[in-house]
Each structure stands twice: as C-alpha cells, then as structure tokens.
Amino acid sequence: MKTLILDETQTDIAARILKDGGVVGIPTETVYGLAANALDGNAVAKIFRAKGRPMDNPLIVHIADFDDIAKFHLVKEIPDAAEKLSKAFWPGPLTIIMKRTDIIPKEVSAGLDTVAIRFPSHPVAQKIIKEAGVPLAAPSANLSGSPSPTTARHVLNDMDGKIDAVLDGGSSDVGVESTVITLAEAVPRVLRPGGVTVEQLREVLGEVELDDAVLHQLKEGEKASSPGMKYKHYAPKANVVLLKGSDDEFISYVNSKSDDSVCALCCDEDLLLLSVKTVSLGRRGDYLTHARHLFDCLRRIDENPTVHTVYSRLPSTNGVGLAVYNRLIRAAGFEVIDLEKL
Ligand code: TXA
Ligand code: MG
C-alpha cells in the first residue's frame, strides 16, 4: 500500500480515510498516534497488524469533547473524579480509564471490562476527530517495542507502506505518552506516568496511588494492570545502561569506556567533558525538555550502526522526570549500575 503524506490543511482527507475504515498516523501533543475508527473492530484490527502489536494490549480512545463520552455511550458511568480531572487537565496529556459499555469493540478493550479515554489538546488531532465524526482508537504510531514517534518522519520510518496516510502536524510538544490513570478501582492509580505529573493529580484528587510497575520490573507471573507495562518498550537497538551516581562519577565512568561503540545520552553541560559520542536531552534538570527530546534522541542513536551501548544517568523521579525515568528504565531492561558501589 502507498502511504499518503498529508499536511495540516488536509485534515478532511485524513477524516475521510478514517470514516472509510482506514488507518492514519496523526499528530498529538504527546506523540504521534496510529488512528482508526474506535467503534469499528475491523478498522482497529488493522492498527494491530501495522504495529505488530500483541492483541492483548488495549488501545486509548480519543475524543474531541468531554461530552463525546456520553454522546457515544463509551462508559457505564462517569465518576466524579473523571469530571474533576477533565476540568483540570483536558484537553491534554491525560488518559482516564473507566468501566466500558458494550459499544467498545473487543479489539479496543483487549478483553478488559474498562476503556481508556483521552481528549488531546493538539488542534489538528481535535480537528481530525471532529471531522471523522467518531472517536479514534490510537496507540503510539511506532512499531511495537521501538521508541514512540514525535514527528511525521519517525512515523514514516516505521510505517511507510503499512498504513493509508500520515498527517504532518509538526513535532510533538510533550514528547512522551500521556499519563494513564485508572478510576475503575477504589483508589485512583497511575499506571503510566506522562505529561501530567503525579503531584498535579494529587492536588486535584487527593489520594492517588502509583502502580508498582511504574518504577519496578514485574516479577515473573505477576499480572500487569496495564498490559503495555509488561513488554520491553521504547528500546533502541543499542543496549541502554543506566548509571546511578554523581555527575563526576558519571563522566569518569563513561570516559573510561571510551570507544567507537559507546554513546552517552547526556545533558548539554556534559558535552565538553565527555570523550565518547554524545546525544543531549537538554539542559540539566530541565525535565520538560528531556521528555520532549527523549524518543528523538533514542532514534538518532539507532541511526548510528556502530553504537552498541548507550550510557545514561538514572533520571530523577520528580515531576515529568518520572515519565522519562519510566521510559528509560524499560529501554534499559531495568539494568542500573550503581557507581557508588563500584
Ligand atoms: O499519549 C498517548 O497516550 C498516545 C497518544 C497517541 O495519544 N497513545 C499511546 O497509546 O501511548 P499506547 O497504546 O502506545 O499506550 C497505551 C497504554 C498501554 O500501556 C496500554 O496497555 C494501556 O495504555 N491501556 C489502554 N487501555 C487500557 C485499559 N483499559 N486498562 C489498562 N491499561 C490500558
Ligand atoms: Mg506505545
């Protein structure tokens, strides 16, 4: 199949393809999504084929108005907490899980009795959803397992020839996927950290738990609350190793490994101090910028076939830092070297 490349003025073409049961790569403020009509199981099945995604991993349903939840009868009941969250953070990088109705195709819910819903803030995403006239199911538009795409070019690198079209809406501002919170249980719980921080969620809801799988590897046989958490994710082809320690320890450890196959994923302040190849996430401590650049950095490292090992600092778990931590620790397969103990 030939993949059409559309620009921001061609949302009508994207909407037409989606209405006809096709699959389109669309920009959102978090990452690019691979969209199809969320109410059409056959259309949604094409997303899984294009991504090579396991069928037991459910998709997020994207809406363009809070009232779409009721209009399309997506959930059994809208909890008070969902209203509060939507007032505070929608449109934006937050996904809310609620008890679903039978309107949701099995391809979207992957056999769960819940559905994940998000109202993105990207104006082009909103326009496409409105013009399509239906909610859109969309996972990140990468091949399953590889870093999520933050530009139309990234989407084409993974999906050219596999999807009907991609619409170029510029680079994604947040850069990591949405925060996923479930309201389907007694206490609200964050299943995936993202652009909306746990601190912000607690300000609105009070008690909010953090799922174990956000920071830790699931033990063998343990069930993932969010099926996506159990897969090795966000990984470039090179081996990612996280280093825990001071800035000086980081620099001297990486320089001691100096050879052609090593690359450091670092901060601007390190660039002159490191003697290996470098890719910078941005200024030290600027977690928003690190999040925005993370996936592009991982993809750029992959473009260099001589790189076999990527060293990075263990990120902070504060604010949006937690989202970067969660992605990098998975990319590293939970491998952390404690430099203080060496
Ligand atoms: O920012 C985002 O959320 C992007 C853009 C395109 O909106 N989408 C995205 O989708 O990241 P995806 O499929 O790559 O990640 C969705 C995550 C997966 O880990 C999935 O397992 C989880 O959300 N998820 C979806 N529905 C769920 C449900 N009903 N219960 C638990 N987890 C769910
Ligand atoms: Mg994904």
Side-chain angles (χ1 to χ4, degrees):
M1 133 180 2
K2 176 147 174 44
T3 301
L4 277 176
I5 303 176
L6 306 173
D7 66 37
E8 286 187 30
T9 66
Q10 296 175 301
T11 52
D12 56 329
I13 301 178
R16 166 52 52 202
I17 296 171
L18 290 163
K19 274 189 202 164
D20 290 345
V23 174
V24 182
I26 65 165
T28 88
E29 73 280 16
T30 56
V31 299
Y32 273 68
L34 210 54
N37 177 354
L39 306 180
D40 175 351
N42 289 330
V44 172
K46 294 180 191 167
I47 297 177
F48 285 85
R49 285 201 288 276
K51 270 186 74 97
R53 180 177 175 109
M55 294 297 289
D56 68 348
N57 196 358
L59 303 183
I60 296 171
V61 174
H62 296 71
I63 55 174
D65 190 335
F66 181 76
D67 293 339
D68 283 352
I69 302 176
K71 179 174 158 195
F72 293 103
H73 199 53
L74 302 177
V75 305
K76 285 201 172 133
E77 183 192 7
I78 300 177
D80 288 345
E83 304 230 13
K84 284 189 192 152
L85 290 176
S86 85
K87 284 207 178 80
F89 304 113
W90 275 359
L94 179 70
T95 295
I96 305 176
I97 295 178
M98 293 173 265
K99 294 268 188 213
R100 68 169 174 86
T101 62
D102 292 338
I103 299 227
I104 306 295
K106 63 178 188 312
E107 289 80 1
V108 172
S109 63
L112 302 177
D113 61 358
T114 53
V115 62
I117 299 180
R118 181 162 103 81
F119 177 3
S121 65
H122 197 298
V124 175
Q126 291 182 3
K127 201 151 180 265
I128 295 172
I129 300 167
K130 283 200 182 115
E131 288 177 359
V134 285
L136 299 179
S140 50
N142 51 293
L143 284 174
S144 210
S146 48
S148 294
T150 54
T151 65
R153 170 59 42 205
H154 293 163
V155 177
L156 277 174
N157 285 347
D158 283 15
M159 293 295 159
D160 197 14
K162 296 193 168 105
I163 58 174
D164 296 291
V166 58
L167 191 141
D168 189 346
S171 38
S172 297
D173 196 42
V174 178
V176 289
E177 305 87 339
S178 61
T179 303
V180 177
I181 187 168
T182 179
L183 300 179
E185 288 155 40
V187 180
R189 185 155 41 94
V190 170
L191 304 183
R192 179 177 74 182
V196 173
T197 66
V198 178
E199 294 88 334
Q200 287 175 305
L201 293 168
R202 288 189 176 135
E203 263 170 45
V204 174
L205 294 184
E207 192 184 5
V208 174
E209 290 176 350
L210 194 59
D211 196 85
D212 273 351
V214 169
L215 294 170
H216 307 287
Q217 189 163 25
L218 287 173
K219 294 180 196 73
E220 214 170 294
E222 210 174 339
K223 192 171 162 283
S225 314
S226 175
M229 292 278 200
K230 71 183 177 206
Y231 300 106
K232 180 161 180 179
H233 239 100
Y234 317 111
K237 293 181 196 85
N239 190 29
V240 178
V241 180
L242 296 179
L243 304 175
K244 187 171 170 228
S246 69
D247 291 331
D248 287 348
E249 284 166 329
F250 174 74
I251 303 280
S252 51
Y253 183 86
V254 174
N255 284 344
S256 78
K257 301 285 168 189
S258 183
D259 78 57
D260 226 30
S261 68
V262 169
C263 177
L265 179 64
C266 61
C267 302
D268 292 350
E269 290 83 349
D270 304 322
L271 292 173
L272 293 173
L273 303 172
L274 286 166
S275 56
V276 298
K277 290 191 195 75
T278 50
V279 174
S280 176
L281 290 165
R283 301 282 303 263
R284 192 176 300 150
D286 183 356
Y287 306 138
L288 282 174
T289 303
H290 296 183
R292 187 175 306 135
H293 293 160
L294 176 67
F295 290 135
D296 183 58
C297 287
L298 293 177
R299 281 177 180 258
R300 269 170 32 220
I301 291 169
D302 263 353
E303 280 165 16
N304 189 332
T306 61
V307 172
H308 294 302
T309 307
V310 185
Y311 290 111
S312 170
R313 284 189 185 82
L314 188 67
S316 158
T317 53
N318 292 331
V320 178
L322 183 63
V324 176
Y325 179 101
N326 172 269
R327 305 316 186 264
L328 271 180
I329 194 108
R330 279 174 172 68
F334 291 87
E335 189 181 348
V336 180
I337 297 178
D338 191 340
L339 299 177
E340 279 147 27
K341 291 195 180 140
L342 283 188

